[in-house]
Amino acid sequence: MNQHQSRQQLWSLLDQEWDLIIIGGGITGAGVFRRAVSGGLKTLLLEAADFSSGTSSKSSKLVHGGFRYLRSGQYDVTFESVRQREKLLKQAENLVTPLGFVLPYKASNKQRRMVHTGVLIYDLMAPKWQHKHLDRTQLSKIMPLLSPQGMAGAYLYYDALLDDSRMVLRLIQETCEDGGVALNYVHAETLLKSKEGRVCGVALADRSGSQLGTLEVKARAVINATGPWTDCLRRQLGQQARIRPLRGSHLILSSTDLPISHAVTLMHPKDGRAMFAIPWEKRTIFGTTDLDHPFPLEQEPFCTNQEIDYMLEAIRAIFPETKITDASIISTFAGLRPIVRGDANNPSAESRAHLVLDEDGLVTITGGKLTIFEIMAEDALKAILPQLGKPLKPIQHWFKPNPVYSSDSPLSRERFDYLVGRYGQALPDLLNTSRPQDLQNVEGLNPHWAELPYNARYGMVEHLDDLLLRRTRLGMLLQDGGLNLLEEVKQLTQPALPWTEEKWQFEITRYQDIYQKAYSPNPENYLKQEK
Ligand SMILES: Cc1cc2nc3c(=O)[nH]c(=O)nc-3n(C[C@H](O)[C@H](O)[C@H](O)COP(=O)(O)OP(=O)(O)OC[C@H]3O[C@@H](n4cnc5c(N)ncnc54)[C@H](O)[C@@H]3O)c2cc1C
């Protein structure tokens, strides 16, 4: 983040001519920001709400090739994603970590051959030979809860896991250290046009509550990286909609009720859709759905009761030995895939490829997925080069190299790896400014108490939900969103946040409201109560 400057100081920097303004602070905007600043461009990133608060905090947390895209023949999408996965495992060590996936098959030889061919292609694309066959006995050892009914064996293959929000935040933070300027809670309201009718800037408005007002800012190029909201800006240019927002919901379950050591891919018993169970942050994530989203984009998406029932039905069929009930659901979350509209009836059949558009000087980058953010950034910047009239310098590193573990670290190796992936070169600063007693995990989970005051001071936190849902993921991981820990959270972060008692009360009410309507185990019930 622009760690050592106040919001007012940052706001006063905005009124100058930029090489590039990026609208949208999800993974796509953060990737473009990283590449543009490392390429030598004077760049401003604007995010209407919090960084990563759109789709980029609500993914399945995978850096993956997209095994299921092989089934629909999207070989190019899978190939570039598998290659990116391999790069990110090295570039973002400990933030992106290897994850074994179990892919069972039923007794038929045809199904076994299909699954085997899939994992072979996957490994050939990497290229890395790491898949393994598991017979029935090995399968039941590795995945004892899986229904043995009809399962003849499985293949074990590898993808990777990440914390999606922390990846966005780390990219933005490291880019700000290199001279970029990024502001959350600033909405790009209107595109400004030159006399020739080309987009040459934006009229923006502060939405932070600091009442900084509005401003017109000029740039040589403007990139639209607004994910599911892509068409809102394009409409200002009279363009037809190109995005089909598809909702994907997940359940976060107690890992005591559904303990798994590996991820598992299985088909929903009703419609054959591929579903995942993924071990994440000492919890189990189950998902995802893929549905057209009829709700307004201004409303935070939520997991509907129907989706919850659909996912529980799959869990009970796939893991019959578990005693999963509604009470096993710790939280839910839903995100909107910014899918480029094709002609498929079935949402899951729509292509996951990305799209670059240049319309009256506004370059739009959309579609794709988190895994390929580097490719998307390069493609978006290629499209603005004619406007800039100068080439980009090559990029040194997408992520700054992590500090190395030393035996006199106050952290165990495991905790160091967890924190260094999320904070990179900022970790020594986090450790130096933390009290030893705060270097403990919160409620036996992975996040540390020390992350709360550190982010409150340096993480551009405007609201309590920024801190609990994205700087840390405690709001999704703790029962009741951690509402019973709010007093501790307040005590730890109060010295770093300039909030009055009245503001604290406002923040707690706001957090409860967001949690209940978009993250609780039954958001639809809260929404119905409100009507
Ligand atoms: C359920 C689900 C699971 C997924 N799982 C995976 C996965 O495991 N791996 C993977 O690689 N991909 C996954 N994806 C895809 C991936 O998450 C998305 O492709 C990616 O996060 C989109 O990022 P984005 O930056 O384009 O959009 P977003 O993250 O939505 O960011 C757009 C931002 O623009 C901001 N904005 C909008 N309008 C304005 C404005 N006028 N002014 C300023 N800011 C504005 C919004 O507030 C928002 O923060 C998944 C997607 C979903 C929905």
Side-chain angles (χ1 to χ4, degrees):
M1 308 295 123
N2 304 81
Q3 293 186 334
H4 300 286
Q5 281 164 305
S6 70
R7 193 169 179 86
Q8 281 79 0
Q9 283 169 325
L10 286 171
W11 183 263
S12 66
L13 291 178
L14 301 189
D15 193 11
Q16 53 176 306
E17 173 121 11
W18 299 88
D19 284 334
L20 172 63
I21 294 176
I22 302 159
I23 308 174
I27 188 67
T28 308
V32 177
F33 187 48
R34 181 85 198 113
R35 182 65 189 98
V37 172
S38 63
L41 301 185
K42 194 163 92 173
T43 309
L44 171 65
L45 174 86
L46 301 172
E47 165 53 49
D50 188 25
F51 302 121
S52 83
S53 61
T55 307
S56 299
S57 52
K58 296 159 182 167
S59 76
S60 303
K61 325 295 177 211
L62 298 174
V63 170
H64 65 153
F67 197 85
R68 72 187 178 87
Y69 307 141
L70 286 177
R71 274 169 87 194
S72 55
Q74 296 183 54
Y75 295 104
D76 43 352
V77 173
T78 310
F79 180 73
E80 66 178 11
S81 305
V82 167
R83 287 298 173 97
Q84 276 310 118
R85 180 197 69 200
E86 290 306 300
K87 275 195 191 172
L88 283 168
L89 279 164
K90 292 195 189 98
Q91 293 169 342
E93 199 189 354
N94 290 317
L95 176 57
V96 177
T97 51
L99 174 69
F101 264 83
V102 172
L103 181 55
Y105 59 85
K106 296 211 169 145
S108 88
N109 275 338
K110 190 176 162 215
Q111 209 197 15
R112 178 179 173 169
R113 266 200 309 276
M114 254 173 61
V115 171
H116 191 197
T117 311
V119 293
L120 277 175
I121 296 175
Y122 219 55
D123 272 4
L124 282 170
M125 283 176 168
K128 205 176 189 179
W129 213 244
Q130 46 185 1
H131 72 269
K132 199 176 144 191
H133 179 253
L134 305 173
D135 61 26
R136 261 183 87 125
T137 320
Q138 289 165 319
L139 174 60
S140 61
K141 236 186 211 158
I142 209 170
M143 219 23 97
L145 292 172
L146 212 58
S147 162
Q149 223 181 19
M151 296 292 176
Y155 281 89
L156 175 66
Y157 70 96
Y158 285 84
D159 261 321
L161 193 64
L162 91 162
D163 180 331
D164 44 10
S165 274
R166 289 291 341 166
M167 179 179 270
V168 173
L169 293 163
R170 198 172 147 186
L171 282 168
I172 293 177
Q173 175 183 328
E174 294 184 353
T175 307
C176 289
E177 284 160 15
D178 290 349
V181 175
L183 259 179
N184 51 358
Y185 295 99
V186 174
H187 184 241
E189 309 246 296
T190 317
L191 298 169
L192 304 177
K193 283 193 175 177
S194 66
K195 275 192 237 117
E196 296 77 35
R198 309 265 309 162
V199 173
C200 64
V202 279
L204 48 92
D206 176 48
R207 282 192 173 177
S208 70
S210 305
Q211 294 176 340
L212 296 170
T214 57
L215 200 63
E216 290 196 351
V217 184
K218 293 282 176 63
R220 295 165 73 192
V222 179
I223 290 184
N224 172 14
T226 53
W229 295 270
T230 295
D231 291 329
C232 303
L233 285 173
R234 294 181 56 254
R235 242 176 251 130
Q236 292 184 20
L237 304 175
Q239 300 293 344
Q240 297 287 321
R242 295 294 301 267
I243 294 300
R244 177 177 183 183
L246 293 180
R247 187 176 69 251
S249 295
H250 291 87
L251 308 177
I252 298 191
L253 301 156
S254 143
S255 48
T256 315
D257 291 359
L258 185 53
I260 47 170
S261 58
H262 291 69
V264 57
T265 307
L266 278 149
M267 306 308 149
H268 195 287
K270 213 175 198 173
D271 56 15
R273 278 202 60 249
M275 313 282 300
F276 303 125
I278 300 165
W280 188 69
E281 296 279 338
K282 301 197 176 169
R283 302 288 190 218
T284 299
I285 295 189
F286 193 86
T288 170
T289 53
D290 206 359
L291 298 163
D292 280 307
H293 184 71
F295 304 101
L297 292 182
E298 302 81 60
Q299 181 185 1
E300 184 143 12
F302 60 93
C303 179
T304 62
N305 287 345
Q306 212 178 355
E307 286 175 287
I308 294 173
D309 292 344
Y310 173 82
M311 288 191 272
L312 286 179
E313 185 184 354
I315 295 172
R316 288 186 188 120
I318 296 165
F319 302 104
E321 296 301 313
T322 60
K323 300 279 171 282
I324 289 284
T325 64
D326 291 0
S328 316
I329 304 175
I330 290 173
S331 63
T332 62
F333 64 96
L336 301 180
R337 298 176 183 87
I339 298 294
V340 180
R341 191 175 285 279
D343 49 14
N345 277 336
N346 174 3
S348 299
E350 288 279 27
S351 162
R352 266 48 179 169
H354 66 282
L355 173 75
V356 179
L357 297 167
D358 183 346
E359 294 157 329
D360 300 339
L362 176 74
V363 167
T364 291
I365 171 81
T366 194
K369 55 188 187 145
L370 188 145
T371 305
I372 56 156
F373 77 86
E374 293 180 11
I375 296 173
M376 292 173 70
E378 295 283 8
D379 287 351
L381 287 166
K382 254 183 234 152
I384 62 159
L385 285 185
Q387 273 151 270
L388 295 173
K390 60 176 178 184
L392 287 184
K393 287 193 238 152
I395 182 160
Q396 297 292 321
H397 31 234
W398 288 88
F399 294 88
K400 295 188 179 182
N402 286 344
V404 177
Y405 182 68
S406 123
S407 54
D408 58 8
S409 166
L411 299 170
S412 66
R413 183 65 205 234
E414 194 189 338
R415 284 166 186 233
F416 176 88
D417 286 349
Y418 177 85
L419 287 172
V420 84
R422 282 155 181 78
Y423 295 89
Q425 293 190 357
L427 179 58
D429 197 28
L430 188 159
L431 297 180
N432 291 336
T433 54
S434 300
R435 301 181 307 175
Q437 66 266 37
D438 295 337
L439 293 175
Q440 299 301 321
N441 301 116
V442 180
E443 305 273 294
L445 294 165
N446 287 331
H448 297 70
W449 288 107
E451 293 178 69
L452 292 163
Y454 185 76
N455 280 292
R457 192 173 298 281
Y458 300 117
M460 290 183 82
V461 165
E462 289 294 319
H463 294 289
L464 191 55
D465 44 288
D466 303 343
L467 192 61
L468 293 177
L469 293 172
R470 291 170 289 276
R471 300 301 175 286
T472 70
R473 315 310 295 270
L474 287 169
M476 303 160 86
L477 298 172
L478 289 166
Q479 209 80 45
D480 293 326
L483 290 175
N484 61 332
L485 291 181
L486 287 187
E487 201 40 52
E488 278 104 317
V489 172
K490 185 176 168 190
Q491 271 180 18
L492 270 175
T493 55
Q494 209 162 19
L497 292 168
W499 292 355
T500 59
E501 194 50 41
E502 197 187 357
K503 166 82 171 159
W504 267 104
Q505 286 319 312
F506 167 82
E507 286 299 332
I508 290 171
T509 310
R510 174 188 150 106
Y511 174 64
Q512 273 175 322
D513 191 56
I514 293 173
Y515 173 77
Q516 285 167 346
K517 290 179 189 159
Y519 295 91
S520 66
N522 46 11
E524 201 174 339
N525 296 359
Y526 284 102
L527 287 158
K528 277 185 186 149
Q529 272 170 27
E530 202 171 64
K531 276 188 187 159

